[in-house]
Every structure is written in structure tokens, then in C-alpha cells.
Amino acid sequence: MPVMKRTSGVVFTFLVLCFFNCSLSAFAAPRTLRVDYYHTGNSREEWFSMDRVVLEPLEWPGNLNKAIDESQLGNYLFEVREKAGGKLLYSRGFNSVFGEWRTTEEALHGNRTFSESLRFPSPNGPVEVLLKERDESSFREGQKAMWKEVWKTVLDPKDKFIDRSRPQSPGALIELQKMGDQAAKVDLLVLGDGYTAAERLKFERDARRFMEALFSTAPFREHRKDFNVWGLCPAAGESGVSRPSSGIYRRSPVGAAYDTFGTERYVLTTENRALRDVASFAPYEFIEILVNGQTYGGGGIFNQYATVAIDSLWAAYVGVHEFGHQFAGLADEYYTSDVAYLTPEKKTEPWEPNVTALLDPANLKWKDLVPAGTPVPTPWEQEEFDRFERDIQRQRKELRAAGRPEAEIEELFRQERDKEDAMLGGQKYAGKVGAFEGANYEAKGYYRPEVDCIMFTRHMTFCAVCRRAIERVIGMYAG
């Protein structure tokens, strides 16, 4: 019998190895292939068109044994399938700047075009690349999302028109933290924007400051060894980035700018082509863009990038909060700040792991974390909180309109945080998971898991539901 057990184990191991080798036969020491395309439309319609296919300079950084995304996260999903036979080789869910823009007032009245990219291991043979959009009405906890195909293209990695040229180098790659083989780690790129050549050392200090803030926050703290972190800093002609509301305009290397969608603190880039060419010099899966500026701001798009104004007093909070959006698809839980997004006509269950419409309270998506005896919905003193927040927003707008120094805005935010910590920390169900009304930019009809979280206020702690969501994504890439 012992001999039989050993023989079975050898046979089993052989079969497993054969399975992985066969399933990955389409990827042989692959480079990174990138499809750049244009996403055009409005609030009702959308169109897609090919821009270019690029063979990036570096090898694919990811784990080929974790090529299929089963997370059910994102408004969009792309798949790479063998052209002959349709075998699924790679997939990832994501959000896009277009996807956010189409929910704004502007999208009701006109069209816009955005550049987007799909990155995957270069295959050995012809493939179909399929782009799918979530059927929002289909999402139910415990069930797989339904997706509708919105675009498809066929490509052959031997096609002579694939762009194999090498973009202009953004400068030396900085190894900020190397914990092991990039295929077995989460590969994070910290990218500077608005730094002149003379400010390169400042960027490196800023990058390390962001990195320490991230890895001081659970659960990233406990998983620090699962991350490799790289730095790139293309030289800008002028220090800083554009802030149109203050009459500041810059042509920074990757195009980060304030006032996205008319929201003064929202920092994104729509220069996707430039961003991807710069980033291609690093082995990355996630990007954090450090904006060289003091004015409070940042942004984050799931599986695209996050941004933070690194010299703001609140850079640690903003950087980690926005990284939560990009990394794990976490939703904003706040609802008192101004945003450009319109309220949806029909309420559906959000796909994001940390908010719910509570359409079926008995099947709350995080019900396994709710302590016995905790009511759902979970009561809290929302009216008092809302009165306080409305007053803070009024003061902030007055300070901005008067052009007051950033230090005065920062002091207002400090007072706000201290009051929030005291008010929310004193709630009956503080520190417990439940379903607290007010989330997803809406005071009513959407619920968050805990009364406080870094996705709700400037409280530097992720709630239990957000921590679990982050750890699940880490598991998709590391190990």
C-alpha cells in the first residue's frame, strides 16, 4: 500500500504539471502585448475602434497560472481566446474613464472619445480579443455576473503591423522594494508626473513615503512581502500638473490633471497612450501616479491607475483610499461631497464588494461577517452626521472661492476628521459589520458595511469587508 500511494502521488503530480503546461502552451516566455483602442460614445451609446497593437519592451510580469479572472469585479471584462477552438487564455475585469464619464451630465448632451488599453501575455498564435460589458440588471450575490459582448478584434502576434518600436525611455527604473520573482508577486509601479529632471530625488523620496503609508495600513501591512514596487519618473518641462480651476496649465509627461469632470479635487489622466508608453518600461500590474503638488486631490479607476497629490497634508489618506479603488474595485462610501455623477434612474445591486442596495437583506453580500444580534439595516445617527458634513462642505467651498491658502483647507479637514472620529467612534455598533445607510454617493438607498472606514471618511482603517476584498485580489496575483 505505501508503494501504491507514492505511485499515485507521482502520477497525480505528473497530470497536474501536464495540465498547467498544456493550458499555458499558448504563452511561451511571453512579452507583454497591448491593444490600444478608442472608446467613443455618450450616456446611451458606445463605439470602439482599433488604434494600435504594441509589443511592450518587457516580459509579462504576471503569474501565468493565474491568468483567468473569476473575481466578478468591474464594469467591463476582456477575454483573450485562441482563434482556433475558442479556448480562454486570459481575462481581466476593469473600469474605465469613459465608464465614469458616461454617468455625468455632459454625456447626456454630446459624445467624447477616450483612449484605453488591454494588456496580456503575447500568445503564440492568432487570438480573438473580446471586450464585454456588465449587464447591470443581472448581478446578484452568489451568482456569476452576465456580460454582453460589445467589441471584438482578431490579432496575430506575427502580424508585421504590430508596433515593435521602443518608446523614448522615461529614465532609470527604480527598485523601491523587491520581494521576489515578479511572477509570484503583485507588481506595483509608482509613477511620477509633474517632476522636473532636477526633482528626481524628490520623486524617489515621495515614492518611498507613499509606499510606507500603504504598507502601514492593514491588510497591505500584513502582505508587504507579496509586493514588488518599482518607480519611474519621466522628466517634466515644468513642475506640477494642470489645475484649470486655478488657471494652471501644464503638459506633464502622463497628463494628470485636477478638475476631472468639473470636480476640483478629482485628478485623472486621459492621456492613456502616453501613460502606457511610459509604464511599459516597468514590470507592472498596478499603477499609482504621484502628482507633484500640494493641493488636495486624487483619483482611482479599477484596474487602471490611481493618483494622489503627494505634497498634500492628506496624501497618506488619499493615496491609500484611491489605491483601494484601483486595486480591489472598492466603491466610495461617502455621500456628502460633491461629485459629477448623476443618480441612476434604476437602483441595482452594485458589483463593488463594499456597498449594497440591500434589495435582499436576507442575502446581504457580507452577511457572514455580521455578528449575531446586529440589526440589518443597522441604525446610526445619520441626521447629526449629515448636518455637520453639510456645514463642512459649505466652509470648504467658501475657502476655495476666496482663494485661501491650502493650509486653511487642510486645517478644516483636520477639524472634520477629529469630529468624525469622535462622532462615529461613539456609535452603538461602531467596529461591527452591519449595513449602515449612506454610501455610493447616495444618502438613502445604499449601505456600507461599517459605520466608518477609509472609504467613508479620512479614518485610516479599512473595514473588515474591504480588508477581505483586498486580500482576495492579492491572492489573484501573488503566490
Side-chain angles (χ1 to χ4, degrees), residues 163-365:
D163 187 350
R164 294 168 172 82
S165 62
R166 189 177 179 88
Q168 181 177 349
S169 172
L173 182 64
I174 303 169
E175 183 182 294
L176 297 169
Q177 172 176 293
K178 183 69 180 294
M179 292 294 186
D181 180 5
Q182 62 193 36
K185 303 296 177 183
V186 180
D187 292 291
L188 168 60
L189 170 60
V190 181
L191 182 59
D193 199 25
Y195 290 83
T196 65
E199 293 175 308
R200 181 176 172 81
L201 290 179
K202 177 185 185 300
F203 163 75
E204 187 168 347
R205 292 193 298 270
D206 291 346
R208 294 188 183 281
R209 180 154 51 93
F210 163 74
M211 188 174 69
E212 292 308 316
L214 181 68
F215 293 121
S216 295
T217 308
F220 296 107
R221 178 177 60 235
E222 293 79 5
H223 290 274
R224 182 166 189 161
K225 291 184 178 180
D226 290 323
F227 285 75
N228 291 334
V229 186
W230 311 93
L232 279 175
C233 187
E238 297 179 272
S239 184
V241 302
S242 288
R243 189 164 179 257
S245 58
S246 297
I248 299 171
Y249 298 91
R250 300 281 188 271
R251 287 191 177 269
S252 58
V254 298
Y258 290 84
D259 300 298
T260 300
F261 308 150
T263 301
E264 53 97 9
R265 70 183 181 280
Y266 198 18
V267 180
L268 293 180
T269 176
T270 56
E271 300 293 332
N272 175 71
R273 258 175 155 252
L275 170 65
R276 297 300 164 183
D277 279 350
V278 169
S280 69
F281 284 86
Y284 78 93
E285 292 156 320
F286 299 93
I287 301 175
E288 180 82 21
I289 301 172
L290 304 190
V291 169
N292 187 23
Q294 182 184 0
T295 303
Y296 184 103
I301 308 289
F302 173 55
N303 249 350
Q304 297 296 314
Y305 60 83
T307 71
V308 58
I310 196 60
D311 288 331
S312 165
L313 179 65
W314 300 97
Y317 153 71
V318 174
V320 176
H321 171 102
E322 301 298 351
F323 191 71
H325 289 311
Q326 184 215 178
F327 187 76
L330 301 180
D332 279 318
E333 297 176 9
Y334 60 78
Y335 57 87
T336 58
S337 299
D338 291 337
V339 294
Y341 314 123
L342 302 177
T343 300
E345 295 180 1
K346 181 181 178 181
K347 185 185 300 182
T348 58
E349 176 62 21
W351 59 263
E352 292 90 343
N354 63 317
V355 293
T356 180
L358 207 61
L359 300 176
D360 184 5
N363 289 308
L364 176 65
K365 63 176 71 173

Side-chain angles (χ1 to χ4, degrees), residues 41-44 101 104-112 342:
N42 51 50
S43 62
R44 301 169 302 280
W101 172 78
T104 68
E105 176 75 21
E106 184 183 24
L108 296 175
H109 310 292
N111 299 335
R112 281 191 66 178
L342 302 177

Side-chain angles (χ1 to χ4, degrees), residues 378-407:
T378 312
W380 70 292
E381 296 173 7
Q382 183 176 12
E383 187 174 332
E384 178 188 359
F385 179 85
D386 290 357
R387 282 197 303 269
F388 170 71
E389 290 298 325
R390 284 194 294 268
D391 186 57
I392 289 290
Q393 293 301 321
R394 176 189 59 79
Q395 294 181 62
R396 182 187 65 80
K397 290 178 182 178
E398 291 175 353
L399 290 172
R400 284 283 186 230
R404 302 303 301 165
E406 191 66 22

Side-chain angles (χ1 to χ4, degrees), residues 460-476:
M460 284 297 293
T461 304
F462 285 104
C463 72
V465 170
C466 289
R467 291 196 300 272
R468 180 168 68 178
I470 290 167
E471 289 184 320
R472 285 175 173 171
V473 175
I474 293 172
M476 288 176 56

Side-chain angles (χ1 to χ4, degrees), residues 12-24:
F12 175 75
T13 301
F14 175 76
L15 291 174
V16 169
L17 289 174
C18 282
F19 170 79
F20 280 119
N21 287 336
C22 292
S23 66
L24 300 176

Side-chain angles (χ1 to χ4, degrees), residues 53-129:
V53 180
V54 177
L55 188 65
E56 294 190 347
L58 302 183
E59 290 185 359
W60 179 251
N63 188 335
L64 295 177
N65 291 332
K66 298 186 176 185
I68 310 304
D69 183 355
E70 298 179 348
S71 70
Q72 303 294 304
L73 299 177
N75 282 320
Y76 294 92
L77 172 76
F78 82 92
E79 297 177 341
V80 180
R81 293 181 177 271
E82 288 182 345
K83 188 174 184 297
K87 180 181 178 181
L88 180 62
L89 303 176
Y90 187 84
S91 64
R92 279 299 180 270
F94 67 99
N95 280 6
S96 67
V97 179
F98 174 88
E100 289 202 0
W101 172 78
R102 74 183 311 191
T103 67
T104 68
E105 176 75 21
E106 184 183 24
L108 296 175
H109 310 292
N111 299 335
R112 281 191 66 178
T113 296
F114 295 84
S115 169
E116 298 174 1
S117 296
L118 309 174
R119 300 173 67 247
F120 49 91
S122 182
N124 287 338
V127 294
E128 290 184 333
V129 180

